[in-house]
């Protein structure tokens, strides 16, 4: 049965005859028929991505699980009521700025506008971890993925400095697109309906923006990326090196220059082939996933590289996965293959609307940013972080500086005092301590101390609050560290000394991983808890609680 026939008049002044014959009736516009056939073909192509959807959703479940576990373990001493940057004070300031909680919620959507207690924040993080584990286990639907996305959006809107990294918005964009890969209700690993191929294309568009943005920010940024010397420094100066980082650092110059060339090739050339025919797409996918694997093994860049693998997986269709996945998974996917629906249904309509929306938001922000000589790195253009721009290591440090916080119980705070260092979980400190392997886990305090070492205490005022916590042996703050040099009594003074760190040569007699040189002066002078300036800073920042 056909739909209503549309009759087109030559002019409005000439009435149409109701008895017009088929020969007199003009054909439907060719563009409409072409678009209809294209949409139908796209809908059927989704049958080739059942296994792709399965792998993408399981991978997303893993990253969400790590992200929520990181928050559950660290969030209270970072942004709890007595944390280093309390979320409740932050929300109070936002409420005063926006005029009401309702207006604040609209500007920065978060469930924590309604309850900001430590118990509620902690409970939400563990709920997110539990739901992430269910997705990782193989069960996901759009509702579950929406809850995960909404909870993580709520978290980064109160996370302040601790959640200012590019991978936070990247996780939100990835999680948002994943909602449209699966049915609204049916949580089975292989539901009857295949994903719409337009959603797969949106993932390809995302990995294209991620890789190209990272490549362009390097070419436009630091000269060392253009003269191929960036890797002379990167392995040593990255936020949290691992044991392999030192080995790579001492490789010959040709190795480092070749690595930069490969980096430029994968980030600037390879992403274009993600839109090509199957063979080109598969090769592009292998190169991008392999490149992320190299970055994972050469450093501890949180879950960034694990997360970036996810949209790259959309380069592969089921012909690839049938060769690499266990046969029992392939058999389950084949058994779920339902009838091919040839009509335009709600799923297709949603996919088209989403594609148009992503296209509009892309043209509004990320695309002009990619084309701009003043390209911004890791920027979101809307409050929901739906379509963002990305980039990494546009600038590479030539030297590594580390802040060593030290305490003493002596009556005087001069150089003759017995200063004992505080060790962080993963950032360099003790010269003989082997660098950690923690990826995809993320120690947020260690990362921010890495940034602070390239600045001053005035630029990172929360470090003063950190010192206050150490002076009072605060259990929450000490729980973020690797040791407490003063387990029996509070230290009398705390100071911060700045050092230049370098990798110790391989095979050195002392067995050290690092060597260091003390920089002149102090990063932060010795302070006691009775220091008037310290108390004034604490008072003005609202960190002195009753």
């Amino acid at each position: 049965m056909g739909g209503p026939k549309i009759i087109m008049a030559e002019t409005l002044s000439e009435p149409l005859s109701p008895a017009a014959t088929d020969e007199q009736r003009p054909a439907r516009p060719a563009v409409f028929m072409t678009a209809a056939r294209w949409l139908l073909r796209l809908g059927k192509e989704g049958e080739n991505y059942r296994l792709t959807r399965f792998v993408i959703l399981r991978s997303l479940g893993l990253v969400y699980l790590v992200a929520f576990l990181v928050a559950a373990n660290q969030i209270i001493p970072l942004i709890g009521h007595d944390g280093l940057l309390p979320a409740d004070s932050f929300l109070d300031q936002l409420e005063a700025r926006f005029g009401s909680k309702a207006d604040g919620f609209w500007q920065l959507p978060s469930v924590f506008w309604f309850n900001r207690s430590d118990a509620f924040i902690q409970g939400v993080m563990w709920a997110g971890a539990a739901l992430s584990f269910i997705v990782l286990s193989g069960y996901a639907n759009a509702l579950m993925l929406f809850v995960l996305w909404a909870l993580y959006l709520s978290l980064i809107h109160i996370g302040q400095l601790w959640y200012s990294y590019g991978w936070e918005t990247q996780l939100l964009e990835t999680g948002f697109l994943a909602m449209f890969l699966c049915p609204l209700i049916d949580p089975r690993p292989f539901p009857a309906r295949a994903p719409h191929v337009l959603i797969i294309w949106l993932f390809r568009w995302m990995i294209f923006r991620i890789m190209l943005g990272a490549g362009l920010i390097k070419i436009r940024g630091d000269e060392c990326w253009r003269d191929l010397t960036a890797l002379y420094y990167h392995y040593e100066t990255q936020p949290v090196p691992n044991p392999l980082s030192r080995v790579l650092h001492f490789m010959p110059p040709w190795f480092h220059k070749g690595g930069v060339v490969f980096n430029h090739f994968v980030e600037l050339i390879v992403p274009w082939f993600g839109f090509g025919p199957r063979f080109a797409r598969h090769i592009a996918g292998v190169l991008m996933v392999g490149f992320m694997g190299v970055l994972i093994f050469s450093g501890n860049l949180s879950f960034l590289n694990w997360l970036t693998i996810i949209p790259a997986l959309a380069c592969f269709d089921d012909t690839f996965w049938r060769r690499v996945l266990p046969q029992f998974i392939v058999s389950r996917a084949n058994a779920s293959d339902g009838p091919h629906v040839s009509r335009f249904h709600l799923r297709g309509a949603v996919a088209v609307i989403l594609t148009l929306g992503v296209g509009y938001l892309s043209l509004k922000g990320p695309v002009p940013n990619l084309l701009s000589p003043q390209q911004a790195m890791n920027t979101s253009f809307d409050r929901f972080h739906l379509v963002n721009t990305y980039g990494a290591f546009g600038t590479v440090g030539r030297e590594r500086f580390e802040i060593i916080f030290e305490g003493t119980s002596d009556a005087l705070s001069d150089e003759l005092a017995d200063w004992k260092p505080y060790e962080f979980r993963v950032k360099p400190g003790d010269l003989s301590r082997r660098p950690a392997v923690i990826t995809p886990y993320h120690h947020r305090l260690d990362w921010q101390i890495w940034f602070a070492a390239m600045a001053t205490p005035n630029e990172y005022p929360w470090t003063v609050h950190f010192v206050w916590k150490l002076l009072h042996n605060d259990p929450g703050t000490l729980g973020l560290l690797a040791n407490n040099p003063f387990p029996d009594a509070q230290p009398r003074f705390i100071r911060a000394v700045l050092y230049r760190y370098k990798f110790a040569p391989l095979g050195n007699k002392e067995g050290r991983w690092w060597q260091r040189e003390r920089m002149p002066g102090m990063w932060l002078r010795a302070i006691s808890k009775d220091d008037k300036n310290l108390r004034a800073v604490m008072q003005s920042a609202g960190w002195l609680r009753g």
Side-chain angles (χ1 to χ4, degrees):
M1 296 180 61
K5 296 182 178 179
I6 301 175
I7 303 173
M8 302 190 66
E10 292 293 328
T11 66
L12 292 177
S13 60
E14 297 178 5
L16 293 173
S17 169
T21 64
D22 289 339
E23 288 77 9
Q24 296 171 315
R25 207 174 278 125
R28 290 187 176 107
V31 65
F32 174 81
M33 298 302 295
T34 301
R37 284 194 297 268
W38 184 68
L39 288 173
L40 292 175
R41 180 172 61 85
L42 286 179
K44 291 184 67 175
E45 282 188 1
E47 302 294 339
N48 299 324
Y49 294 95
R50 293 177 181 272
L51 290 169
T52 301
R53 171 176 60 188
F54 175 83
V55 178
I56 286 177
L57 292 179
R58 303 298 79 75
S59 302
L60 179 61
L62 172 63
V63 174
Y64 262 136
L65 177 61
V66 172
F68 279 109
L69 286 177
V70 168
N73 289 326
Q74 303 176 36
I75 202 68
I76 299 306
L78 292 179
I79 66 168
H81 178 70
D82 292 317
L84 292 171
L85 291 173
D88 50 7
S89 298
F90 176 65
L91 289 172
D92 287 341
Q93 293 170 13
L94 290 178
E95 183 177 348
R97 174 184 173 186
F98 295 127
S100 68
K101 286 184 179 179
D103 289 335
F105 177 84
W106 177 243
Q107 295 296 326
L108 291 174
S110 173
V111 298
F112 302 114
W113 282 102
F114 308 105
N115 189 331
R116 59 192 70 174
S117 68
D118 288 0
F120 183 71
I121 294 175
Q122 189 84 357
V124 167
M125 296 306 102
W126 283 113
L131 190 56
S132 303
F133 182 77
I134 294 173
V135 174
L136 174 61
S137 300
Y139 301 92
N141 59 30
L143 289 178
M144 295 164 63
L145 292 173
F146 172 77
V147 171
L148 285 171
W149 175 83
L151 294 184
Y152 206 72
L153 178 70
S154 297
L155 173 61
I156 71 166
H157 279 168
I158 66 166
Q160 305 164 79
L161 187 69
W162 315 110
Y163 279 80
S164 59
Y165 310 111
W167 56 77
E168 318 297 356
T169 53
Q170 187 175 324
L171 178 53
L172 287 175
E173 182 172 350
T174 306
F176 180 78
L177 289 181
M179 283 189 269
F180 299 92
L181 276 178
C182 45
L184 180 65
I185 303 296
D186 187 353
R188 293 176 298 170
F190 296 102
R193 192 173 299 283
H196 199 285
V197 74
L198 281 179
I199 310 304
I200 300 296
W201 276 86
L202 290 179
F203 274 102
R204 292 173 187 166
W205 171 235
M206 184 181 180
I207 189 61
F208 176 84
R209 286 183 286 114
I210 292 172
M211 301 301 287
L212 190 64
L216 290 175
I217 202 74
K218 292 179 176 69
I219 291 295
R220 290 168 172 159
D222 202 321
E223 183 181 359
C224 65
W225 288 110
R226 297 189 294 274
D227 64 20
L228 308 184
T229 61
L231 296 185
Y232 288 9
Y233 319 104
H234 166 73
Y235 299 116
E236 183 176 72
T237 61
Q238 64 181 305
V240 184
N242 68 16
L244 185 59
S245 303
R246 184 172 71 150
V247 176
L248 294 173
H249 175 71
F250 288 108
M251 295 295 284
W254 65 263
F255 178 87
H256 295 311
K257 290 190 174 183
V260 176
V261 171
F262 180 68
N263 179 97
H264 292 333
F265 173 69
V266 175
E267 292 185 338
L268 295 171
I269 305 299
V270 169
W272 298 90
F273 292 92
F275 301 111
R278 173 180 294 164
F279 179 76
R281 281 192 288 104
H282 286 186
I283 295 298
V286 169
L287 287 171
M288 288 188 286
V289 172
F291 180 55
M292 290 302 110
V294 170
L295 298 179
I296 287 170
F297 282 107
S298 64
N300 293 294
L301 297 177
S302 181
F303 51 77
L304 171 62
N305 306 122
W306 301 76
L307 177 62
T308 304
I309 286 174
I310 296 175
L313 298 175
C315 292
F316 305 114
D317 57 33
D318 287 5
T319 62
F320 175 87
W321 296 115
R322 291 189 188 104
R323 292 181 172 88
V324 300
L325 291 177
Q327 188 56 44
F328 77 92
I329 294 178
V330 175
S331 299
R332 288 189 63 185
N334 293 338
S336 70
D337 192 359
H340 293 195
V341 180
S342 59
R343 59 187 175 85
F344 187 80
H345 43 67
L346 179 61
R347 180 181 67 111
V350 171
V352 170
I353 293 171
L354 177 65
T355 302
L356 293 175
V358 170
Y360 169 75
L361 292 175
S362 297
L363 293 174
K364 186 179 178 182
V367 171
N369 184 66
L370 284 174
L371 298 176
S372 172
Q374 287 76 43
Q375 177 191 358
M377 184 172 64
N378 296 325
T379 302
S380 182
F381 300 94
D382 63 90
R383 70 198 69 181
F384 299 106
H385 308 284
L386 300 182
V387 184
N388 315 295
T389 189
Y390 304 102
F393 291 104
T395 301
V396 177
R398 274 39 171 200
E399 296 179 308
R400 179 181 199 92
F401 295 100
E402 292 289 349
I403 303 169
I404 303 300
F405 289 88
E406 300 174 331
T408 183
S409 297
D410 292 355
L412 298 178
S413 60
D414 56 21
E415 287 296 327
L416 298 178
D418 182 19
W419 292 102
K420 299 178 181 179
Y422 289 86
E423 289 289 332
F424 287 76
R425 292 291 181 92
V426 293
K427 95 172 186 68
D430 182 353
L431 303 181
S432 299
R433 189 176 65 166
R434 180 178 65 85
V437 178
I438 57 167
T439 180
Y441 198 79
H442 178 38
H443 290 280
R444 295 183 180 272
L445 178 62
D446 295 53
W447 272 67
Q448 283 301 325
I449 291 292
W450 177 78
F451 283 112
M454 296 180 283
T456 66
N458 289 335
E459 296 171 275
Y460 283 80
W462 65 267
T463 55
V464 176
H465 196 191
F466 176 69
V467 167
W468 176 268
K469 296 286 189 182
L470 296 182
L471 286 167
H472 290 79
N473 264 359
D474 178 68
T477 302
L478 291 171
L480 298 173
L481 304 179
N483 75 323
N484 177 13
F486 304 95
D488 300 322
Q490 299 172 358
R492 184 168 294 182
F493 294 95
I494 296 288
R495 71 179 187 179
V497 185
L498 189 66
Y499 288 89
R500 180 189 291 115
Y501 269 64
K502 293 184 177 181
F503 276 130
L506 297 172
N508 66 85
K509 292 185 296 184
E510 297 83 5
R512 291 180 174 175
W513 287 85
W514 297 96
Q515 54 189 5
R516 71 185 186 185
E517 173 190 0
R518 182 168 171 175
M519 305 305 294
M522 289 285 173
W523 192 82
L524 188 66
R525 66 175 177 81
I527 299 176
S528 72
K529 58 187 174 183
D530 299 320
D531 188 285
K532 293 182 179 180
N533 290 331
L534 172 62
R535 297 189 71 87
V537 171
M538 293 290 297
Q539 190 72 48
S540 64
W543 291 330
L544 281 181
R545 305 266 182 162

